[in-house]
Amino acid sequence: MPKIALKLKLPTSIYAAIEKDNKLFAGGSVWDRRQVLWSDEVGKQTKGIVYIFKKVKNSYQKIQEIVFPHMVYSIIELPKKQLFVSCKAAKGAFNIINFQGEIIKTKNDKAGQGVYGSFYNKSKKEIILTTRSGKLEIINSQSLEIKKKLQLAQKSTRLWALAMDEKTQTIYAGDYDGFVYIVKRNQFTKTKKINLKQYYKDNQKLEKGFGPSVWSILSYQNKIIVATRWHELFIFDKNFKLTERIDLGEDISHLEKLSPTKILIGTRYGKLFSLDLKTKKKKTIIKRKPKLQKENAIWEMSRAKQGMWICFADGYVIKII
């Protein structure tokens, strides 16, 4: 079972991290979740930040901070030793920085009004995005200009989860109302829409207007695994026939591959599990209770040279091996 190899405690919230060129780039906001309660003002006014750490022997030393107009929710690698950093509001939503921490280019996102998920599509040298306005956007990875956009969710509904099968150029996205969308990149049209509410016909939450928000999607071993905040994994085959449904008893915030038979599962309340998809055995790896807020979500995991980086919203970045 994976174990903790390294723990970094940062002063503010963290939602994404990536290790490149012997450096760790950890992004989030300047909001100290451990000391300041969430409010509408925090959501609207808080700036984003990327902390840069340099690896020194077996530890990491902070060498730089970059401040952005709003909270940083995603960091992905681009060619030429560059990173794409996205923020969750229109101003300065798209950013390219290099491994030296220099901002190369910045663009606003009035169409999407901010980004939740991002994916670099290598074959077309483009970035695919899920946005706050419910749009799926494709932008040029150098100019950051929007090439294509497609309204998937209702305009008032956030489009959050994002995954892609690069071999088939199929995009999977999920929204806050519990819909999963399948888009063929080459045609860039919605080919299928699955309403997860159909599996909750007697649920009282539906009567109150809530849906099983889709926070993570994983394309894995010829399966599509969909995770919801109503505790469940929905496992579909490539034709999107439901093959399994697993209740994990936790709001699921993120999924990641661990091995050919196991996945990592992060929860809204600061727990990290491994799940064997054959035996269905679940093992707890980390528990980090929220210090002040109601939640301490794991919104992102990323691969290190050895192991995996796990990002906890309360400001911890933990490496497991």
Side-chain angles (χ1 to χ4, degrees):
M1 186 175 76
K3 60 182 181 180
I4 295 174
L6 186 68
K7 186 187 301 181
L8 297 175
K9 181 181 179 181
L10 282 75
T12 60
S13 62
I14 294 297
Y15 306 121
I18 187 170
E19 182 181 4
K20 294 294 170 186
D21 203 30
N22 286 320
K23 292 178 182 176
L24 179 69
F25 300 81
S29 78
V30 298
W31 168 41
D32 183 353
R33 289 175 50 99
R34 299 190 294 268
Q35 300 294 329
V36 180
L37 274 171
W38 170 263
S39 66
D40 289 343
E41 184 178 358
V42 168
K44 292 176 182 177
Q45 302 297 328
T46 301
K47 292 186 179 298
I49 193 166
V50 170
Y51 298 96
I52 304 177
F53 294 83
K54 183 178 180 179
K55 187 175 182 182
V56 180
K57 295 183 179 180
N58 294 322
S59 64
Y60 287 79
Q61 295 180 0
K62 189 176 75 172
I63 59 173
Q64 191 178 347
E65 298 176 3
I66 311 173
V67 176
F68 294 88
H70 214 277
M71 296 181 181
V72 171
Y73 265 24
S74 180
I75 307 173
I76 58 173
E77 184 180 10
L78 299 177
K80 301 179 182 179
K81 292 193 172 184
Q82 294 180 343
L83 300 173
F84 176 72
V85 179
S86 57
C87 300
K88 74 160 207 172
K91 185 179 179 181
F94 307 156
N95 303 275
I96 296 175
I97 67 171
N98 60 23
F99 287 2
Q100 286 70 49
E102 300 168 323
I103 298 177
I104 306 301
K105 191 176 288 291
T106 296
K107 288 278 187 182
N108 297 338
D109 181 26
K110 292 182 180 179
Q113 299 170 34
V115 176
Y116 281 120
S118 61
F119 184 92
Y120 179 63
N121 186 11
K122 298 182 183 68
S123 66
K124 295 186 181 294
K125 298 180 181 179
E126 63 190 15
I127 303 168
I128 299 170
L129 307 169
T130 50
T131 70
R132 289 181 65 84
S133 68
K135 290 183 180 69
L136 184 70
E137 294 182 339
I138 295 180
I139 63 174
N140 183 286
S141 62
Q142 294 183 329
S143 69
L144 301 183
E145 295 291 342
I146 296 176
K147 295 167 59 177
K148 292 179 178 292
K149 54 188 176 183
L150 181 64
Q151 188 73 44
L152 293 181
Q154 295 183 18
K155 291 182 180 180
S156 60
T157 301
R158 289 169 280 183
L159 191 65
W160 190 289
L162 177 65
M164 185 172 187
D165 184 331
E166 288 192 87
K167 290 182 180 179
T168 63
Q169 287 291 292
T170 304
I171 302 166
Y172 306 99
D175 73 14
Y176 252 64
D177 279 343
F179 287 91
V180 178
Y181 306 89
I182 299 91
V183 175
K184 292 294 184 182
R185 167 61 188 92
N186 292 334
Q187 294 79 25
F188 203 63
T189 56
K190 181 174 61 182
T191 59
K192 196 172 184 63
K193 176 181 175 180
I194 298 171
N195 184 359
L196 296 183
K197 294 176 186 176
Q198 66 183 297
Y199 302 107
Y200 298 94
K201 292 180 179 178
D202 298 324
N203 194 297
Q204 292 181 350
K205 293 178 182 178
L206 293 177
E207 297 176 2
K208 297 178 180 179
F210 296 106
S213 300
V214 178
W215 282 343
S216 190
I217 300 175
L218 187 64
S219 178
Y220 177 83
Q221 300 288 327
N222 292 316
K223 299 179 177 68
I224 306 301
I225 306 176
V226 177
T228 78
R229 71 169 175 181
W230 286 0
H231 308 169
E232 292 193 280
L233 293 180
F234 291 86
I235 303 178
F236 298 90
D237 65 18
K238 284 292 184 177
N239 296 316
F240 259 85
K241 178 183 177 182
L242 183 64
T243 59
E244 290 184 83
R245 184 178 173 185
I246 305 170
D247 190 336
L248 294 173
E250 294 270 351
D251 298 21
I252 305 166
S253 53
H254 194 75
L255 302 175
E256 191 54 73
K257 303 171 187 176
L258 180 60
S259 74
T261 60
K262 294 179 182 179
I263 61 173
L264 289 173
I265 299 171
T267 79
R268 187 180 184 181
Y269 300 103
K271 295 181 184 179
L272 178 70
F273 302 105
S274 66
L275 178 69
D276 190 309
L277 292 174
K278 287 188 175 181
T279 65
K280 305 301 181 293
K281 288 185 178 179
K282 183 179 74 170
K283 294 184 178 179
T284 302
I285 302 170
I286 303 172
K287 289 183 182 180
R288 290 210 65 84
K289 292 182 179 179
K291 184 173 182 180
L292 180 64
Q293 316 299 321
K294 293 180 179 179
E295 58 190 55
N296 183 22
I298 297 171
W299 287 125
E300 186 62 77
M301 307 178 203
S302 66
R303 297 195 177 279
K305 286 185 177 179
Q306 291 182 325
M308 191 86 68
W309 290 105
I310 315 298
C311 301
F312 291 80
D314 267 6
Y316 285 84
V317 183
I318 297 177
K319 186 178 183 180
I320 62 170
I321 57 173

